[in-house]
């Protein structure tokens, strides 16, 4: 198997290489979007097709046409270049309410097993609802949905390839039989990691194979380095599962089917001397029903929902992991005591019922052992899991593509968010595994470590794992990862601690005042919420009852006004004792509003409104 490397590819280099490999004919790479008053028309401009796709702006219906129609209006149609169709989003069952999603800008970020990889730099969501004749309430809801989708245009971390399936690890790609390799990329895809799975349905129904572009959300990092006379290429690719996708505080734990929140598969690929080595890890929230609903406090309390179901859901989750990855080692990094202690106790007791040769559980109290600065103590964890890493191995193939070894299991890490502690731990595991691989390829001798090679070490820490951790964290929490200075520099720094403080405050703001709407947008994009024609469409997005009276900006203004007027009245009380009563009254207003906000904190936060469910 021959690999072409594009560590920092230009557009022309990519196109030349793809033309030579004759792979670019599978999917349309370049298109022109015509915006007519009645329809959108997608014209392939890379020579892959001679037909055009027409999408009605009235109802989102799709047709193939043979030529661009002549504009019947004075105004010329708007024309722009696009680089892919993400799909068509249908929001209302039985009604003409659809949206076309297209990639308007892309960036070539490198290669995956020899094929160019692109990052979505900009996407646009175009409405197809011109014929929507409904009540004023339904039009208002449509407007609310449009506002949510405008926010969805800022979705980060989307990657795609026209030639290789990014949803599959190298080991799974290698295992495909010849018949499967001939299938279109979307048919090969693992639906767990196919970000636009729901949006592709209309294109699939219309058999528009050249436009069915699989997209993953996650992270892609790559660097090349020299170690002695050997050239080394390291790629890190992450795939986010869409089954329980969402924001940090609004998607915790697992659902009743065992699908965990913030579940991410991370694959580290080494290419050198004609060999390719692949190692996969996974992360995911503690897999039973629990929640942490924001209420304006800095750290809301944890609540285990239906605790009696925890063993069944944990078993179901790990049964699925064993089916997909082989044996599983669960590494639990949360605190043994304090507010996290109840979660740890329930997780550990549930795991006791399924522990076997194929399923192991290790608890490592990260904060207690490593504190805020001594992350080198992760070596204690490595001592506990080294034998498992040796046994599970990694996938390895030679220059001809022949399999030499395969990975027989996976390490599953979790903390509370599966972000900061998890990323530090996974980077340590990945470093140890990469050193094993380099020794096996005789690039390292028996005593060599990555830290002995300054440039290689810096690239491994900064280019791959630190950037990877930041990107995964931004998608889930809205900010870069905490503790990133240790991943980048191998130690805690003053600047890193200051950055953590700033990011922690930003997370508080996003969690309480922004993530509810973001969660609604995510649920719309993935088809988790579809409006039925017989549903009271005005209900979900409206505040009712006591909640209709809650406004955090208004409450803050009342408190501030009370403080100001109380101060003014207190000064004037020296001349007129009656002002003392006004001061007490205004102070009472401030304290009363503060007490009301504290008692009803959940009502003042930005909560999801489309899916009213506890977990």
């Amino acid at each position: 198997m021959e690999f072409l490397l594009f560590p920092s590819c230009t557009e022309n280099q990519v196109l030349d290489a793809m033309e030579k490999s004759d792979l670019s004919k599978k999917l349309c790479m370049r298109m022109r979007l015509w915006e007519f008053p009645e329809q959108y028309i997608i014209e392939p401009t890379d020579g892959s097709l001679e037909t055009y796709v027409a999408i009605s702006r009235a109802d989102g219906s799709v047709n193939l046409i043979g030529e661009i129609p002549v504009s019947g209006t004075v105004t010329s149609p708007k024309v722009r270049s696009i680089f892919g169709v993400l799909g068509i989003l249908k929001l209302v069952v039985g009604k003409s309410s659809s949206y076309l999603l297209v990639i308007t800008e892309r960036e070539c970020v490198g290669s995956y097993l020899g094929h160019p990889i692109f990052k979505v730099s900009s996407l646009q969501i175009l409405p197809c609802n011109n014929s929507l004749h409904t009540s004023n309430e339904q039009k208002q809801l449509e407007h609310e949905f449009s506002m949510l989708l405008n926010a969805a245009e800022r979705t980060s971390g989307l990657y795609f390839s026209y030639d290789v399936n990014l949803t599959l690890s190298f080991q799974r790609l290698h295992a495909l039989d010849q018949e499967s390799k001939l299938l279109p990329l979307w048919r090969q895809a693992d639906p767990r990691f196919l970000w636009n799975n729901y949006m592709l349905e209309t294109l699939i129904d219309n058999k528009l194979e050249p436009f069915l572009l699989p997209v993953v959300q996650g992270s892609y990092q790559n660097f090349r380095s020299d170690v002695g006379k050997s050239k080394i290429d390291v790629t890190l690719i992450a795939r986010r599962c869409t089954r329980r996708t969402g924001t940090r505080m609004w998607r915790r734990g697992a659902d009743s089917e065992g699908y965990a929140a913030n579940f991410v598969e991370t694959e580290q690929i080494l290419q050198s001397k004609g060999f390719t080595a692949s190692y996969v890890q996974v992360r995911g929230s503690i897999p039973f029903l629990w929640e942490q609903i924001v209420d304006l406090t800095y750290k809301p309390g944890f609540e285990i929902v239906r605790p009696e179901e925890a063993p069944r859901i944990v078993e179901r989750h790990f049964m699925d992991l064993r089916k997909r990855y082989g044996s599983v080692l669960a590494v639990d990094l949360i605190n043994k005591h304090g507010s996290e202690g109840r979660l740890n106790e329930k997780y550990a007791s549930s795991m006791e019922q399924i522990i076997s040769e194929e399923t192991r559980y290790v608890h490592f109290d990260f904060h207690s052992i490593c504190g805020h600065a001594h992350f080198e103590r992760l070596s204690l964890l490595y001592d506990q899991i080294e034998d498992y890493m040796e046994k599970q191995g990694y996938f390895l193939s030679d220059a001809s593509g022949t399999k030499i070894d395969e990975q027989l299991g996976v390490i599953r890490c979790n903390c509370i968010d599966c972000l900061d502690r998890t990323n530090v731990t996974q980077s340590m595991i990945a470093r140890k595994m990469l050193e094993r691989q380099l020794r096996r390829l005789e690039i390292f001798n028996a005593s060599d470590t990555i830290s002995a090679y300054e440039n290689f070490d810096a690239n491994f820490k900064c280019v791959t794992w630190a950037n990877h951790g930041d990107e995964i964290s931004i998608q889930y929490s809205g900010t870069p990862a905490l503790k990133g200075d240790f991943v980048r520099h191998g130690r805690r720094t003053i600047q890193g601690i200051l950055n953590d403080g700033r990011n922690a405050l930003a997370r508080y703001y996003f969690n309480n005042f922004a993530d509810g709407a973001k969660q609604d947008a995510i649920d719309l994009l993935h088809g988790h919420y579809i409006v039925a024609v017989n549903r009271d469409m005005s209900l979900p997005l409206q505040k009712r009852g006591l909640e209709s009276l809650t406004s955090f900006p208004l409450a803050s203004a009342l408190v501030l006004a009370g403080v100001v007027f109380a101060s003014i009245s207190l000064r004037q009380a020296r001349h007129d004792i009656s002002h003392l009563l006004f001061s007490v009254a205004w102070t009472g207003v401030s304290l009363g509003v503060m007490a009301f906000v504290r008692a009803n904190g959940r009502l003042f936060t930005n909560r999801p409104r489309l899916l009213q469910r506890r977990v």
Side-chain angles (χ1 to χ4, degrees), residues 365-385:
D365 192 328
F366 189 102
H367 284 153
S368 176
I369 298 172
C370 299
H372 294 290
H374 298 289
F375 296 165
E376 71 280 357
R377 294 176 184 170
L378 278 171
S379 60
L380 299 175
L381 172 62
Y382 178 68
D383 292 341
Q384 296 182 62
I385 65 175

Side-chain angles (χ1 to χ4, degrees), residues 248-249 292 295-300 500-501 504-505 508 511-512:
R248 177 174 174 247
M249 288 298 192
Q292 188 182 16
D295 57 5
L296 299 182
T297 60
Y298 181 73
K299 191 173 182 179
D500 282 0
L505 291 176
Y508 172 84
N511 295 160
N512 284 278

Side-chain angles (χ1 to χ4, degrees), residues 87-354:
I88 296 177
L89 182 63
K90 289 189 175 294
L91 295 186
V92 183
V93 176
K95 290 282 186 179
S96 305
S97 180
S98 301
Y99 293 82
L100 171 66
L101 287 81
V102 296
I103 299 170
T104 54
E105 294 181 27
R106 69 183 182 186
E107 174 190 1
C108 182
V109 292
S111 66
Y112 178 59
L113 305 176
H115 304 288
I117 302 303
F118 296 91
K119 182 176 184 178
V120 177
S121 303
S122 177
L123 65 89
Q124 187 167 7
I125 302 177
L126 304 168
C128 305
N129 53 9
N130 288 354
S131 70
L132 191 61
H133 300 295
T134 57
S135 67
N136 289 333
E137 287 187 350
Q138 291 174 340
K139 288 180 179 179
Q140 177 62 29
L141 185 64
E142 188 72 25
H143 173 72
E144 296 283 354
F145 284 164
S146 296
M147 296 296 291
L148 291 175
L149 293 178
N150 287 340
E153 289 183 346
R154 298 189 291 273
T155 301
S156 64
L158 300 180
Y159 295 88
F160 66 94
S161 171
Y162 300 106
D163 310 303
V164 65
N165 197 330
L166 294 184
T167 69
L168 301 180
S169 67
F170 183 46
Q171 178 165 315
R172 294 184 65 191
L173 282 172
H174 192 278
L176 292 176
D177 55 35
Q178 290 302 316
E179 183 178 353
S180 298
K181 290 178 181 178
L182 296 176
L183 293 174
L185 293 183
W186 70 271
R187 287 187 177 275
Q188 302 174 15
D190 185 335
R192 294 180 302 158
F193 305 127
L194 186 55
W195 180 82
N196 55 334
N197 191 19
Y198 172 68
M199 291 172 272
L200 288 177
E201 288 182 0
T202 299
L203 302 183
I204 293 172
D205 291 342
N206 286 274
K207 298 180 173 55
L208 299 176
E209 300 284 353
F211 299 93
L212 294 170
L213 180 65
V215 175
V216 300
Q217 185 180 34
S219 175
Y220 173 92
Q221 312 296 331
N222 173 267
F223 74 90
R224 299 185 74 183
S225 184
D226 294 332
V227 175
K229 296 181 179 180
S230 300
K231 294 187 179 298
I232 295 173
D233 185 277
V234 177
T235 298
L236 194 65
I237 183 166
R239 308 169 178 97
R240 177 177 296 282
C241 181
T242 63
R243 296 287 172 80
R244 189 169 166 76
T245 188
T247 58
R248 177 174 174 247
M249 288 298 192
W250 297 111
R251 285 296 176 269
R252 295 289 210 188
D255 61 19
S256 58
E257 300 299 315
Y259 295 118
N262 199 23
F263 187 89
V264 179
E265 177 185 278
T266 299
E267 179 182 20
Q268 180 175 274
I269 300 171
L270 165 68
Q271 292 176 245
S272 186
K273 299 171 69 173
F275 292 90
T276 301
S278 163
Y279 182 66
V280 170
Q281 302 181 68
V282 297
R283 68 177 76 187
S285 192
I286 302 171
F288 53 79
L289 307 178
W290 63 278
E291 61 186 12
Q292 188 182 16
I293 302 300
V294 293
D295 57 5
L296 299 182
T297 60
Y298 181 73
K299 191 173 182 179
F302 303 107
E303 181 180 351
I304 300 175
V305 182
R306 301 197 295 275
E308 69 280 0
E309 294 188 23
R312 176 188 66 80
I313 296 172
V314 168
E315 181 180 17
R316 187 159 190 165
H317 177 78
F318 279 90
M319 185 183 302
D320 180 67
L321 291 183
R322 289 195 302 272
K323 182 175 21 174
R324 297 179 187 277
Y325 299 101
S327 63
V328 184
L329 170 62
V331 176
D332 182 13
L333 302 170
I334 67 175
N335 301 344
K336 188 175 182 63
H337 304 288
S339 59
E340 297 180 7
R342 289 178 58 241
L343 294 177
N344 168 249
E345 182 180 355
K346 176 58 69 174
Y347 190 20
S349 63
S350 299
M351 289 298 298
E352 284 180 2
Q353 303 181 32
I354 61 171

